[in-house]
Amino acid sequence: MAVNEHPRRTPLIAGNWKMNLDHLQAIAFVQKLAWNLKDAKHDVAAVEVAVFPPFTDLRSVQTLVSADKLPIVFGGQDVSAQDSGAYTGEISGAFLAQLECKYVLIGHSERRTLHAETDEIVSAKVTAALKHNLVPIICVGESAADLELHGPSAVPVAQLRAALAGVTNAADFVVAYEPVWAIGSGKAATPEQAEQVAAQLRLVLTETLGQDVADKTRILYGGSVKGSNIAGFMREPNVDGALVGGASLDIDEFSSIVRFQQHVGL
Ligand code: PGA
């Protein structure tokens, strides 16, 4: 299987900065990333590049991207299920939309574990994001214990079904399969493992929202993705990109991931 055989699904490489880089560092980073990709003659139409900075960076990133017309999109790492009101510390989807965020990460495993986000909360956040015309990137994945107890796909499949509870087939969203045991561990899943679960997740999309949605929705793999292993994932028919944590903080490494088509050995 050659890479990118899905004309309806443009690959997406998304960098999740987590709690790294302040707004000044963010400006320098995004500027350098854009230069780096331009120097490398990256085909911006062929692979979409997104970054997910901390909230406090978003206004600076927006200003830079829009002033210099950089071919990089951005999004929030989380969103509130509420629109406005007495929710100290929460960020409304309306605010993210005002800052020209295209995407928002929802249900990342660090949110699920460290902030006790349940499937119900994830579903409410997905609904809130869609309401504000943000494209949710719905993160699902099994822990090492889940893997042992239930096998690889049961938990991600259940999480996706729950997250889609309020979603219609008109919605634009992305799914990110991130095995918890692979996140930040340096131990990525194998391309075969990623494909096996991604195929199950696509079946969920077919069953719940129909063939068209299943055909056009991108499913990313995340968990210890690097320049040296991205090509293997991108060769799989159901993997349409990557959600990258640690390696997204290194410009050369992240650029190399974005440019997987150059070193995939087609
Ligand atoms: P990692 O993180 O690439 O550092 O494993 C992925 C993620 O948390 O999205």
Side-chain angles (χ1 to χ4, degrees), residues 172-193:
D172 191 7
F173 63 95
V174 175
V175 179
Y177 167 53
E178 297 203 297
V180 181
W181 47 268
I183 295 177
S185 67
K187 276 183 60 188
T190 64
E192 295 72 27
Q193 283 174 313

Side-chain angles (χ1 to χ4, degrees), residues 13-21 29 52 77 105 108 110 178 182-184 221-226 242-250 253-254 257:
I13 302 295
N16 173 12
W17 295 0
K18 311 194 181 190
M19 200 172 72
N20 295 288
L21 306 184
F29 186 99
F52 292 82
Q77 295 178 11
L105 300 179
H108 188 279
E110 286 147 24
E178 297 203 297
I183 295 177
Y221 166 76
S224 298
V225 171
K226 300 178 284 205
L243 182 54
V244 185
S248 77
L249 297 167
D250 178 318
E253 189 72 23
F254 191 58
I257 295 170

Side-chain angles (χ1 to χ4, degrees), residues 17 23 26-35 37 44 48-53 57-75 99-102:
W17 295 0
H23 72 289
I27 295 171
F29 186 99
V30 171
Q31 183 71 265
K32 275 192 217 150
L33 176 64
W35 284 335
L37 293 174
V44 295
E48 188 178 22
V49 182
V51 293
F52 292 82
D57 300 5
L58 285 171
R59 173 67 172 146
S60 307
V61 170
Q62 177 212 15
T63 305
L64 170 68
V65 165
S66 103
D68 291 2
K69 300 193 173 39
L70 303 181
I72 292 172
V73 297
F74 50 90
L99 289 176
E100 297 173 332
C101 285
K102 176 170 179 184

